[in-house]
Amino acid sequence: MLKKIPADAVRLGMYLHAFEGSWLSHPFWKNKFILDDPEDVQRLHQSGLTAVWIDPSKGVDVVDPAVVLSTTPASAPPPEAPTAPVVARCSARDELQRAARVLNRSKKAITELFNEARLGNAISVESCLPLVAEISDSLARNSSALIGLARLKHKDEYTYMHSVAVCALMVSLARQLGLSEDAVREAGLAGLLHDVGKMAMPVEVLNKPGSLTDAEFAVMRSHPERGHALLLAAGAIPASALDVCLHHHEKFDGSGYPHRLQGEAISLFARMGAVCDVYDAITSNRPYKKAWNPAESLARMAQWTGHFDTQVFHAFVRSVGIYPLGSLVRLESGRLGVVIDQHPEKLTEPLVRVFFSAKAKTPIQQLDLDLSRPGANDRIVGREDPAQWGFGNLDDFWR
């Protein structure tokens, strides 16, 4: 029999089955576990939660039956909180400023976290969870805004902001796959920590502006295992985060590293991490290469036979949009435009800012077209390469 009790009645040795509220409301990375650490009891008492569900068959029972608020059979557990927080969706334009603040705070926090790792200090999961929560909230309001801004990182901040971006992409992908509330949270945490092993790499190799030598590349290929060792030493890291750290460079056809795992021998989270890691890498400016535009990146990734789990990749495309923010598209009318927002249910009909005539090869008056609206008299017929048209930074159209 499961019992609902006030949070302040929780004591050491109880088995927590569920929390009242979503995972954004409590300080733990999972919902079901036994309370065997006095610090965890104190954290729960200070969390602001009103109540929790315990399973006395797996842990300590209440001393005073009067504190029990309600009961339910273990075979009929209390309803889970929704996978995504209930947050009103808004436009990309309305979310941009909030998303920018979230990214700035995340950059500062992850930089401090990774520098501690570089110094050999243990990583605290507790310090990561507020970042995942803030990123998750922003994505719930408008996923395009934060993911779009995270892509625009400077090459000198790539190592840190890449982890923040992959966290966001993992949360978005986990929701697209319909994963549970706990799994969404773990996916975000795994994305945030997946590249911590780069803190063990020589700085001159990590930030080298040119191509790596074979010896340098061999050093860089050791970062998954070095990161896995760092996380193991930290303790209290979810197994899913450890796995993504170690295996996000595995490929579906078995040609990846470090263990040449193949197919479903690679965990779902690691297959997700592989897609998210590559997408952010190729759409970001790096010390040794310029970013590809987002639509071109998706098209190229789709052609890499054997690299990704096809089903995971297709879900990823749906999560970032067939035409991600900043994509240059050609319309049936012959106009060129930049995608400035998306319709979550109509991925082929985003909000486009037209600015150029492909027929006349001249700029035209800018106009925002919502292709998802009834009566819209234009449609996208294809992606375009900004470089072939000599266009500069198209992200200025939306950010």
Side-chain angles (χ1 to χ4, degrees):
M1 184 70 71
L2 302 178
K3 297 180 180 180
K4 180 180 176 181
I5 64 173
D8 57 11
V10 170
R11 61 193 180 98
L12 204 64
M14 286 183 168
Y15 183 88
L16 296 181
H17 180 84
F19 297 90
E20 284 288 291
S22 77
W23 58 259
L24 300 179
S25 307
H26 65 78
F28 306 107
W29 63 265
K30 55 185 176 180
N31 277 345
K32 298 178 175 65
F33 63 101
I34 194 163
L35 272 171
D36 54 8
D37 187 336
E39 289 187 5
D40 283 345
V41 177
Q42 184 178 4
R43 289 163 62 202
L44 192 148
H45 288 166
Q46 296 172 349
S47 68
L49 283 172
T50 57
V52 301
W53 290 85
I54 65 168
D55 187 344
S57 69
K58 298 180 180 178
V60 172
D61 200 352
V62 294
V63 176
D64 181 6
V67 303
V68 177
L69 302 175
S70 62
T71 61
T72 188
S75 59
E80 296 283 348
T83 299
V86 181
V87 177
R89 192 182 185 278
C90 66
S91 69
R93 180 177 180 178
D94 289 341
E95 181 59 22
L96 282 173
Q97 287 190 347
R98 283 180 293 195
R101 290 193 293 269
V102 169
L103 289 174
N104 286 335
R105 287 192 293 268
S106 299
K107 176 188 172 183
K108 181 180 179 181
I110 203 68
T111 300
E112 293 175 355
L113 187 77
F114 276 23
N115 284 341
E116 287 295 308
R118 188 184 289 281
L119 294 172
N121 297 326
I123 287 175
S124 166
V125 174
E126 188 173 353
S127 66
C128 297
L129 295 182
L131 302 183
V132 179
E134 279 202 277
I135 289 167
S136 178
D137 261 356
S138 179
L139 294 172
R141 290 189 293 266
N142 186 293
S143 60
S144 295
L146 187 138
I147 289 174
L149 286 176
R151 180 172 54 80
L152 305 182
K153 62 187 76 65
H154 299 295
K155 60 185 179 182
D156 57 350
E157 64 183 12
Y158 173 79
T159 299
Y160 303 102
M161 291 307 294
H162 173 63
S163 294
V164 176
V166 173
C167 169
L169 292 168
M170 287 285 280
V171 168
S172 185
L173 176 54
R175 286 184 176 151
Q176 181 64 47
L177 288 168
L179 301 188
S180 71
E181 176 182 339
D182 280 350
V184 170
R185 188 180 214 191
E186 287 189 44
L189 182 61
L192 202 63
L193 298 176
H194 82 287
D195 253 356
V196 69
K198 288 186 176 177
M199 294 301 98
M201 299 295 100
V203 175
E204 63 274 15
V205 176
L206 185 63
N207 297 327
K208 184 177 180 180
S211 300
L212 299 180
T213 65
D214 289 346
E216 290 168 338
F217 188 60
V219 170
M220 283 301 298
R221 280 170 64 105
S222 72
H223 81 267
E225 292 164 305
R226 297 293 295 275
H228 185 261
L230 285 173
L231 295 182
L232 268 180
I237 304 292
S240 53
L242 289 166
D243 182 66
V244 172
C245 179
L246 185 59
H247 293 132
H248 64 277
H249 283 293
E250 302 287 357
K251 297 180 182 179
F252 205 65
D253 63 3
S255 64
Y257 66 92
H259 297 139
R260 299 183 69 85
L261 299 181
Q262 185 174 3
E264 294 189 3
I266 310 167
S267 72
L268 173 60
F269 272 26
R271 281 176 269 151
M272 292 164 58
V275 177
C276 297
D277 175 69
V278 168
Y279 177 79
D280 186 66
I282 64 179
T283 57
S284 303
N285 285 317
R286 309 284 294 279
Y288 52 87
K289 69 173 277 297
K290 286 194 65 176
W292 294 346
N293 70 72
E296 174 193 12
S297 297
L298 291 177
R300 291 196 186 191
M301 289 171 71
Q303 296 171 0
W304 294 348
T305 304
H307 198 129
F308 307 115
D309 178 332
T310 302
Q311 290 186 328
V312 170
F313 177 70
H314 288 168
F316 178 78
V317 173
R318 292 193 298 272
S319 72
V320 297
I322 294 172
Y323 306 107
L325 220 64
S327 299
L328 179 66
V329 295
R330 180 192 288 260
L331 302 182
E332 192 173 45
S333 61
R335 293 175 291 182
L336 301 184
V338 176
V339 175
I340 62 171
D341 205 350
Q342 297 180 6
H343 191 292
E345 279 86 44
K346 299 179 180 179
L347 298 180
T348 61
E349 301 173 354
L351 182 63
V352 175
R353 181 163 294 162
V354 296
F355 69 98
F356 196 83
S357 170
K359 296 176 181 177
K361 294 183 172 53
T362 59
I364 58 176
Q365 183 177 357
Q366 292 185 19
L367 176 67
D368 291 353
L369 296 178
D370 185 349
L371 300 179
S372 70
R373 294 185 64 179
N377 58 359
D378 215 340
R379 65 183 184 91
I380 294 174
V381 293
R383 304 179 180 93
E384 291 288 330
D385 181 358
Q388 292 186 355
W389 289 93
F391 296 149
N393 192 356
L394 295 180
D395 294 309
D396 289 339
F397 281 98
W398 61 265
R399 64 179 176 177

